[in-house]
Each structure stands twice: as C-alpha cells, then as structure tokens.
Amino acid sequence: MLDEVRRRVRVRHFSIRTEQAYVAWIKRFVLANGRRHPRELGAPEVERFLTTLATEGQVSAGTQTQALSALLFLYRDVLRMELPWMENVVRAKRSQRVPTVLSVSEVNRLLAVMDGRPWLLASLLYGTGMRLLECLRLRIKDIDFARHELTIRNGKGGKDRRTVLPRALLEPLQREIERARVLHAADLADGFGQVWLPHALARKYTNAGTDFAWQYVFPAVKRSVDPHAGIERRHHFDPDMLSRALKRARTAAGIVKPLSAHTLRHSFATHMLEAGYDIRTVQDLLGHRDVKTTQIYTHVLDRGAGGVLSPLDRI
C-alpha cells in the first residue's frame, strides 16, 4: 500500500518532502489503529486520530492539516474511497504569530562571523527574500547578471517569479558558478553529470540534463543516488549544513533571538518596507498570493508597536 502511495504522489509531481511526510502520517495512522488496513477503517477512525492530535498531542494547526491532507490523499487517491465530511474533527487553533525579524545590526553581525558557501547562501536569503529551497534549487540559467535579477522557478504554489540580485553578491556568485563548472566537468569526465529535471523535461530535452545551464548554482559536495530514478547524480547543497552554520553563527554573533534560514526572509521583507518600498512590490518579490500575507510585516511601520511613542517617553 505504501508503495502505491509513493507512486501516486510521484504521479502528482509532489516533492520528495511531501512524499516522506504523507508516508509517515499514514504509517502513524495505521499503528494508532492496531495495524488494521485503512480499508477496514473510515471517517470515525480518521476523526478520532485527528482529534487526538489536537487534544492530546497539542500539535499546531499546520501539523494537523498536513496529517489530514495525507489521510485524504490515501483514501481518495489511493484507495478510491470517499470520506463523508468530517465535521466532528476538533481542529487545532491556528495561531497568529508575528515573525522573528533581525535588525540590520544583527544581520551585519551574523554575516560577519560566517564564510564560504554558508555565508553566500545566508547573504542571498537576506538579499533576495528567497525561501531556503528556492535558493538551493537555483539553476545557472536563472541568474541574470546584466539585469541584476534572479528567476525563481516552481516556487511555492508552483509559481515562477523574479526577485532582485544584490550587486554586492555579483562576484561571489560568479566564483560559485565557476566552482560548479569545474565540478560538472569532472562529473562528465566520470560518466555522470545528469542533473535532475522537473516533470518531463528530461524526455522533452534529451541533452538538457547535462547542459551546464541547467546545473545547480550550489551543487552538493558529493554525488548521491536519486531516490526516485535510482540514478547517481549531483544534487544541491544540503540544507542541514546551512542550518548548522546559522546556529553556530548565531551563537558567535551574540544574537539571542531564535534564528533559522526563514528568519532572513522575514528580515528582507521587513527591511524593504522600512526602506519605503511599496507593499505590492514586496509582495511580488516574496511570491505571496495574497497581500494580506505580506501585511504581517507592517508591524514594523508607523502602524505597528515599533512606530508608537510610549507615554513614558513623553515625560
């Protein structure tokens, strides 16, 4: 059954992370019901499982929604069974949280204690507003040095967009591309060099996989076996390595705020608005579908708490 789940996920072109999450939730659901086959279960068991996640597991709304999506995919797309509307499910309350944002000084201190590829990746995340995987999946062909812009392909929601390329990163990026060129030439000499291409592009453009333009800007140090195709090739830089580098840099820079790669995206948006850029422009750069998502960053403007003068300061 799990093999069929994986096959159906891949037919729908879901990411490998979505596949792993769906399989994990389905396994957990089966174990929670005494290893019974899901065909023997139904809406009551699904409702009880999701309700338990919210009441006893105290998971976030996003986690519960992911579990629900996995089970709906199992029943509708794999087992071809329609579940009635699960009106009795207790939904986890979705929190309204203000994003963690670094000050300009904190960003300076953070980048000052980083070097190498982690420094360049962190600088790109802060300087462009990209999400972490959007940055790691960047291809050579999608960097336009003349126009100072990056094209982000198949971002969240399957959308393409453009964002600004910081002029301060032109030379470091060019050096990184030359490094990628050397690695790619070595791979070709060893009989490899076929990069992963989305959807059916590998069949449509038979030589694109070995074309340097399609290679990752940040290739992995070592080749690995593609879990889908079973082909050995060079993937992109490991996101966990950047996470560890950011954790070390946070400590070295003396930053007490919680910090992740996504914090740099939050900081980009906030600092752009502070600099006076229109919220619609920032929305386009971030790739938000709705401007309401971007409006969360206006807490730093005059309408937010940071722009209000406390009465204590008037004394």
Side-chain angles (χ1 to χ4, degrees):
M1 183 189 69
L2 292 179
D3 288 340
E4 182 62 15
V5 170
R6 294 186 182 95
R7 191 184 72 82
R8 293 283 181 177
V9 166
R10 294 171 189 180
V11 167
R12 297 282 294 274
H13 300 296
F14 291 168
S15 71
I16 185 67
R17 290 170 179 259
T18 301
E19 175 184 325
Q20 293 168 346
Y22 277 18
V23 169
W25 279 118
I26 292 169
K27 283 183 179 179
R28 187 167 170 178
F29 174 64
V30 171
L31 291 173
N33 287 278
R35 297 180 180 273
R36 294 166 61 194
H37 195 283
R39 286 192 181 277
E40 302 174 10
L41 309 173
E45 288 79 14
V46 173
E47 291 172 354
R48 184 168 58 250
F49 177 71
L50 295 174
T51 300
T52 301
L53 286 179
T55 57
E56 297 180 14
Q58 297 184 345
V59 301
S60 68
T63 300
Q64 189 192 43
T65 299
Q66 185 186 66
L68 174 60
S69 298
L71 296 181
L72 288 177
F73 182 83
L74 170 66
Y75 279 97
R76 292 176 178 173
D77 292 73
V78 179
L79 301 179
R80 303 295 184 182
M81 296 171 59
E82 281 293 331
L83 292 179
W85 177 248
M86 291 175 287
E87 55 189 19
N88 296 324
V89 175
V90 176
R91 304 301 297 270
K93 184 178 180 181
R94 186 172 293 276
S95 303
Q96 296 293 329
R97 300 187 184 279
V98 174
T100 300
V101 175
L102 301 180
S103 67
V104 175
S105 173
E106 288 170 330
V107 173
N108 280 330
R109 282 159 35 207
L110 180 75
L111 297 179
V113 296
M114 299 182 74
D115 56 16
R117 301 179 85 189
W119 169 84
L120 180 54
L121 285 165
S123 299
L124 265 178
L125 292 174
Y126 173 67
T128 66
M130 286 189 289
R131 300 176 178 90
L132 174 57
L133 287 180
E134 291 173 344
C135 183
L136 295 178
R137 292 170 178 166
L138 194 65
R139 311 275 181 155
I140 305 289
K141 66 181 183 62
D142 293 325
I143 300 181
D144 191 332
F145 288 103
R147 293 175 58 87
H148 301 103
E149 68 180 20
L150 303 174
T151 302
I152 299 166
R153 308 286 183 184
N154 198 29
K156 189 174 182 179
K159 298 179 294 183
D160 293 355
R161 73 178 191 278
R162 289 188 174 90
T163 189
V164 60
L165 172 59
R167 286 168 169 77
L169 298 181
L170 295 182
E171 288 189 13
L173 266 178
Q174 288 168 342
R175 289 195 298 268
E176 190 67 27
I177 289 174
E178 287 306 310
R179 180 182 182 277
R181 190 188 303 276
V182 172
L183 280 176
H184 183 54
D187 286 343
L188 290 175
D190 293 339
F192 299 98
Q194 183 83 24
V195 74
W196 177 83
L197 297 179
H199 310 313
L201 288 178
R203 293 194 302 271
K204 185 176 182 180
Y205 306 110
T206 55
N207 296 323
T210 56
D211 189 342
F212 180 64
W214 281 91
Q215 305 303 307
Y216 292 116
V217 176
F218 300 100
V221 177
K222 298 181 180 179
R223 293 190 298 265
S224 59
V225 177
D226 188 324
H228 284 175
I231 300 173
E232 182 178 340
R233 51 179 154 219
R234 197 175 294 274
H235 203 48
H236 58 63
F237 189 76
D238 186 353
D240 291 337
M241 294 181 67
L242 178 60
S243 297
R244 290 192 290 269
L246 285 172
K247 183 177 180 180
R248 292 191 298 268
R250 170 183 173 269
T251 302
I255 298 173
V256 297
K257 297 175 182 176
L259 174 63
S260 69
H262 212 68
T263 306
L264 297 173
R265 174 175 161 89
H266 292 323
S267 302
F268 164 85
T270 302
H271 296 169
M272 289 286 284
L273 290 171
E274 284 181 325
Y277 286 96
D278 181 78
I279 192 169
R280 293 287 183 180
T281 300
V282 178
Q283 176 192 358
D284 290 341
L285 294 174
L286 293 174
H288 287 161
R289 179 181 302 176
D290 193 333
V291 72
K292 291 180 180 178
T293 307
T294 317
Q295 285 174 343
I296 193 171
Y297 299 109
T298 59
H299 71 284
V300 301
L301 303 181
D302 292 342
R303 295 186 297 276
V308 175
L309 186 64
S310 168
L312 181 63
D313 294 326
R314 297 181 186 274
I315 298 177

